[in-house]
Amino acid sequence: MYDALNPLASAIRSRETGLSADRMWDASPVEVALSVLAAWKVMDGEVKRLTERAAMTAGSYGASYEQLGAVWGITRQGARKKWPDAVSRPAPATAGKSTLALFGGTAELAQSTSGGWGWTGRGADGASGKAPDGAPYATAEEAAAHAGAYLKEHALDIGDQS
């Protein structure tokens, strides 16, 4: 691994010291050792970032914390601690759904698998409607506001009930 990473570390040392690659060893031994340490620190940070990205990607495709831990050589609990957001927990069956009753009609709010919210409803006048396709709302509250406006539009006019 040293042979693979050393050219990159040398380039970082050269950039950090401002010396060309053939002159960067001309500094004092302490300065050379510190420049080597600084280069490895940069690489360590990048490896951690790439590792987290790989864990998040694996989790997004359905890998479990047990699988992530096994690959990394740690326990399931260790993987959960190392990458707390890598694996999404399934939401309870009741989460992501609610019913709205307004103006004599009802609307069902539902969260899609992508996380957006939509609605389907039936107004008091019997008209059925739903959120526009391809435009899910960012929050349940936003979907409820649009569903409520639809239900208000399709409420029975009290003056027409004589």
Side-chain angles (χ1 to χ4, degrees):
M1 179 138 84
Y2 175 83
D3 290 340
L5 296 177
N6 195 45
L8 181 57
S10 293
I12 292 170
R13 284 194 310 274
S14 178
R15 185 183 70 214
E16 295 295 320
T17 62
L19 299 173
S20 63
D22 60 333
R23 294 204 53 239
M24 71 182 152
W25 299 106
D26 292 346
S28 74
V30 170
E31 290 174 358
V32 169
L34 289 174
S35 73
V36 169
L37 181 62
W40 291 120
K41 180 184 184 301
V42 169
M43 294 176 72
D44 181 57
E46 186 63 13
V47 167
K48 285 178 182 172
R49 187 185 69 77
L50 292 171
T51 299
E52 182 174 357
R53 180 188 289 177
M56 298 293 283
T57 301
S60 74
Y61 285 117
S64 67
Y65 279 116
E66 186 175 359
Q67 291 170 309
L68 294 174
V71 167
W72 201 249
I74 57 178
T75 65
R76 173 181 53 82
Q77 295 88 345
R80 185 183 312 260
K81 185 176 180 181
K82 187 169 191 60
W83 305 295
D85 299 323
V87 176
S88 62
R89 295 180 182 161
T94 58
K97 291 186 180 187
S98 62
T99 302
L100 178 67
L102 290 172
F103 306 106
T106 59
E108 181 80 22
L109 306 175
Q111 190 173 25
S112 70
T113 55
S114 66
W117 287 82
W119 61 270
T120 56
R122 180 175 296 277
D125 64 359
S128 294
K130 66 178 188 168
D133 288 336
Y137 302 106
T139 65
E141 292 80 6
E142 186 179 3
H146 286 272
Y150 176 84
L151 294 176
K152 182 177 182 183
E153 184 179 321
H154 292 279
L156 292 177
D157 185 11
I158 302 214
D160 291 343
Q161 295 182 6
S162 46

